[in-house]
Amino acid sequence: MAEQLVLQQLEDGILTLTLNRPDKANALNPPMMRQLTTAMSEAASNERARVVIVTGAGKAFCAGGDIGGKPEKKKDLSPEEAAAAAERRANRPADTLVNRIKWLRDNMETSRILYEMPKPTIAMVNGASASVGLALAGACDFRVASSKAVFVTSFIKAGLSGDYGASYFLTRLLGSAKARELMYLSEKVSADEALRIGMVTKVSAPEELYADTMALANKLAAAPPITLQLMKQNMNAAVSASLGEQLDQEATNMVLSSLTEDHREAIKAFIEKREPVFTGK
């Protein structure tokens, strides 16, 4: 049985996905990358889940990709073995690089699914968030961070240019200038600084992080889900749409939301001076 590297818990319409490699600060290895993409896809289509929370087990949120471990020491090769190895390298398929790019791009679907998921998403950042971890948090609609959380891009320190949408989400959240600063210089950002620059929604004391996150999740879970889905479509489109395109989309989604039973329930509850009960119809 495969190790459960992404835990799933659904309760009262709130689905929590927990990255589960605490001994590695929840750094993503290939099996975890595959499990995470599958979990995100299932979460997106799960009608019982009105809100999705992403968090990490243990003391970290996600330390990024797992590049740790010592490489095996190369053994001394005889001239014949060296010549054979050189020939194998020369005869590798021409699409090896293409395959590597495709493999990574397929795993990076996690970020797209998370960003476009037709329901609100929250990153509960319980500790260090680096590189891929920062990208995953950025893909969420909200980020609630522990006061002990630290954010860092880290890519350049590993001689890597960045993946999982880090450049996209940081630019979307912070603007091009600040995103470039964080990507190029890879300086650590404290939770309080992250709040000041708009990277996170709220900073909580460690012992209050779960309660604060769940309070936000419950508020979202009580909202009309179809309306939230259409609203999220509007907000995502606003990142790159022209004004005309955005007005077209808003007009379409406004009319669609007005046809739902939840809209009628909202009007009825307002007239009757009570809290509405939304069913997602």
Side-chain angles (χ1 to χ4, degrees):
M1 184 176 178
E3 184 181 2
Q4 288 293 104
L5 301 176
V6 180
L7 306 179
Q8 303 185 46
Q9 181 178 357
L10 178 62
E11 186 175 355
D12 297 329
I14 300 170
L15 176 62
T16 301
L17 303 179
T18 303
L19 306 179
N20 188 38
R21 292 186 77 210
D23 56 323
K24 298 292 184 180
N26 301 315
L28 272 63
N29 62 2
M32 186 185 223
M33 293 163 79
R34 291 190 293 270
Q35 288 187 29
L36 186 57
T37 301
T38 299
M40 286 296 176
S41 182
E42 292 173 348
S45 60
N46 188 339
E47 295 182 357
R48 296 172 58 205
R50 290 195 176 190
V51 181
V52 174
I53 296 173
V54 182
T55 192
K59 297 181 179 180
F61 177 71
C62 175
D66 189 353
I67 59 173
K70 296 181 179 179
E72 292 183 7
K73 184 178 180 180
K74 294 182 179 179
K75 64 178 182 179
D76 294 331
L77 301 178
S78 68
E80 293 78 10
E81 290 173 327
E87 184 177 358
R88 286 195 299 271
R89 289 193 295 270
N91 292 328
R92 283 176 180 169
D95 64 346
T96 297
L97 183 60
V98 173
N99 287 340
R100 289 180 63 187
I101 292 171
K102 182 182 184 303
W103 178 85
L104 178 57
R105 177 61 184 87
D106 288 346
N107 283 302
M108 287 165 57
E109 274 294 282
T110 291
S111 293
R112 183 193 63 77
I113 296 168
L114 179 57
Y115 179 65
E116 297 179 357
M117 192 175 295
K119 57 196 72 180
T121 54
I122 305 171
M124 182 165 65
V125 186
N126 50 308
S129 176
S131 62
V132 175
L134 188 54
L136 292 175
C140 292
D141 296 304
F142 300 90
R143 284 151 295 282
V144 181
S146 163
S147 58
K148 293 185 177 181
V150 177
F151 301 85
V152 62
T153 58
S154 287
F155 293 111
I156 202 163
K157 293 181 179 179
L160 298 170
S161 58
D163 58 1
Y164 275 76
S167 57
Y168 179 87
F169 298 124
L170 284 176
T171 299
R172 178 182 66 93
L173 287 170
L174 307 175
S176 180
K178 191 64 178 179
R180 290 167 192 260
E181 177 185 328
L182 295 183
M183 289 294 290
Y184 297 174
L185 301 179
S186 192
E187 294 178 347
K188 291 182 180 180
V189 178
S190 68
D192 288 340
E193 176 65 6
L195 180 64
R196 188 188 71 80
I197 64 178
M199 184 184 291
V200 301
T201 311
K202 180 182 178 63
V203 173
S204 302
E207 64 274 13
E208 297 173 357
L209 177 64
Y210 177 80
D212 288 348
T213 303
M214 294 306 295
L216 174 58
N218 281 311
K219 186 173 184 179
L220 292 166
I226 296 175
T227 301
L228 281 175
Q229 176 182 345
L230 297 173
M231 188 175 289
K232 184 166 182 175
Q233 287 180 5
N234 290 347
M235 299 307 298
N236 285 357
V239 174
S240 58
S242 67
L243 177 57
E245 291 169 337
Q246 193 67 15
L247 293 177
D248 290 343
Q249 174 140 337
E250 286 187 356
T252 299
N253 286 347
M254 189 72 168
V255 171
L256 290 175
S257 61
S258 73
L259 300 176
T260 63
E261 291 184 15
D262 282 344
H263 170 64
R264 291 189 286 274
E265 164 64 9
I267 300 302
K268 185 178 180 181
F270 176 78
I271 294 172
E272 297 174 355
K273 295 182 172 55
R274 60 174 175 81
E275 290 297 317
V277 178
F278 298 117
T279 61
K281 299 179 180 178

